[in-house]
Amino acid sequence: MRSNFPHTRLRWHRVGSATAVTAALVLAGFGTAVHADATTSSKVTWAATPCATPKKAGELACNSLRVTGGTTAFQKARGITPKAADAATPSGYGPSDLQSAYGLTAASAANGSGETIAIVDAYNDPNAEADLAKYRSYYGLPACTTANGCFKKVSQTGSTTSLPSSDAGWSEEISLDLDMVSAIAPNAKILLVEAKSATMANLGKSVNEAVTLGAKFVSNSYGGSESSSDTTYDSSYFNHPGVAITVSAGDEGYGAEYPAASKYVTSVGGTALSTSSSTRGWTETVWNTSSTEGTGSGCSSYDAKPSWQTDTGCTKRMIADVSAVADPATGVSVYDSYGITAGWYTFGGTSASSPIIAAVYALAGTPGSSDYPAQYPYKHTSSLNDVTSGNNGSCSTSYFCTATSGYDGPTGWGTPKGVSAFTS
């Protein structure tokens, strides 16, 4: 098993007079980033969640960041003054915002019944069901519990009683994933599969277990360095025709990660999402905070190019396919209580975008039994919001790291505009 320690997560971004304070925080080990979003006109600070730094060699990192202060895009748009770090009230986008932004309001209300969306994460969140109930109740979503058959939590072996050890960092990730699925597809069932550790082997076995238990949609919000073993992992864990498997593209800016590079998955990039005066009412750019923080993208070194991917600059698998909101400054609202003060937090990272896209697939309906649903958006490119501005770093082939009309690495073909792009 390869080592998967990603680039250091202690990073900061220079914004005016905040420089000295932020640098001091980084030196003290808090890993806080500062971002001046054009829509907020005030500084938003955040830090990578603890699971973004693997505890052991060979473990993968989650792709999430939690806002620690400032005024988010959600708050600015509504004239809300409490700091984003105040856990008493939501400070990120909720279900109605996300459904509006992606043209899903009608589909979210009507579709998804009978579908099961699986979330694959590492370690146990003992408060997962209770925190999910808080989120869904607050936003008026139907209850999703073990008792009513909507929610199920299992280990990578399918056990409902013998679960992994609990972990506060991964619990934040789990809350984010469960809440995003709920926001987009509130009528769908949710299956949480908890791997006993964050190795590719255990997470991969969890993907297999999710499929065995009947999930046709499986979200994965983790990643690590590519290696020559990836093609073996592809065949062992991700080759599931008839199942839409989504994977976050990474949070460290330009560069390819695995399993986002798998030819069998939908790799999901990240955007900054803000309200606008356009007909859509929203606008998006590539999420990019600094040279070491932003959505991932790139040309795989190992995975073969799938037949449905036709860009000419990369002879192997290109990341990403599609995208959704990921910038913490324009982040999403999440309820979490394990290991931190119980309450409302705003999260970003491509860990938000992956479950959003998995849920959109669920709204679109069960994939064809022999299909690899990653190809669906490539058949319906006009049914996506094309993101044409921003970049996630420097690269020798422009579209690998820079948004453009049509396909580009950071955002793929774009973000959901209804469900049409996510069906055969």
Side-chain angles (χ1 to χ4, degrees), residues 63-67 176 251 287 326-328 331-332 346-352:
N63 287 311
S64 56
L65 306 102
R66 178 164 58 85
V67 169
L176 167 61
D251 293 352
W287 168 42
D327 188 340
V332 297
T346 295
F347 278 84
T350 52
S351 280

Side-chain angles (χ1 to χ4, degrees), residues 207-208 233-241 245 262 264-265 372:
V207 172
N208 289 344
Y233 299 144
D234 277 354
S235 58
S236 297
Y237 307 129
F238 297 105
N239 186 6
H240 293 289
I245 301 175
S262 171
Y264 297 121
V265 310
Y372 290 101

Side-chain angles (χ1 to χ4, degrees), residues 111-144:
N111 300 357
S113 297
E115 305 289 6
T116 297
I117 306 170
I119 296 297
V120 171
D121 280 313
Y123 301 103
N124 178 44
D125 177 1
N127 297 356
E129 185 171 357
D131 288 350
L132 178 63
K134 290 279 191 180
Y135 181 90
R136 294 177 73 106
S137 175
Y138 180 89
Y139 286 112
L141 306 178
C144 188

Side-chain angles (χ1 to χ4, degrees), residues 60-125:
L60 305 182
C62 67
N63 287 311
S64 56
L65 306 102
R66 178 164 58 85
V67 169
T68 56
T71 305
T72 64
F74 168 84
Q75 293 174 299
K76 181 67 176 178
R78 289 159 180 78
I80 300 172
T81 56
K83 294 180 180 179
D86 178 6
T89 56
S91 55
Y93 292 134
S96 62
D97 302 299
L98 297 173
Q99 293 170 19
S100 169
Y102 296 126
L104 300 169
T105 303
S108 293
N111 300 357
S113 297
E115 305 289 6
T116 297
I117 306 170
I119 296 297
V120 171
D121 280 313
Y123 301 103
N124 178 44
D125 177 1

Side-chain angles (χ1 to χ4, degrees), residues 270-343:
T271 67
L273 172 70
S274 304
T275 56
S276 77
S277 58
S278 65
T279 302
R280 178 188 172 194
W282 300 85
T283 185
E284 288 175 277
T285 62
V286 175
W287 168 42
N288 179 36
T289 305
S290 71
S291 61
T292 57
E293 185 175 275
T295 184
S297 72
C299 182
S300 174
S301 297
Y302 301 99
D303 256 76
K305 198 173 198 68
S307 60
W308 37 262
Q309 195 172 57
T310 58
D311 62 293
T312 58
C314 171
T315 59
K316 294 190 180 295
R317 172 69 158 115
M318 187 69 194
I319 300 169
D321 298 314
V322 292
S323 51
V325 61
D327 188 340
T330 68
V332 297
S333 182
V334 173
Y335 190 91
D336 186 60
S337 68
Y338 185 66
I340 55 177
T341 301

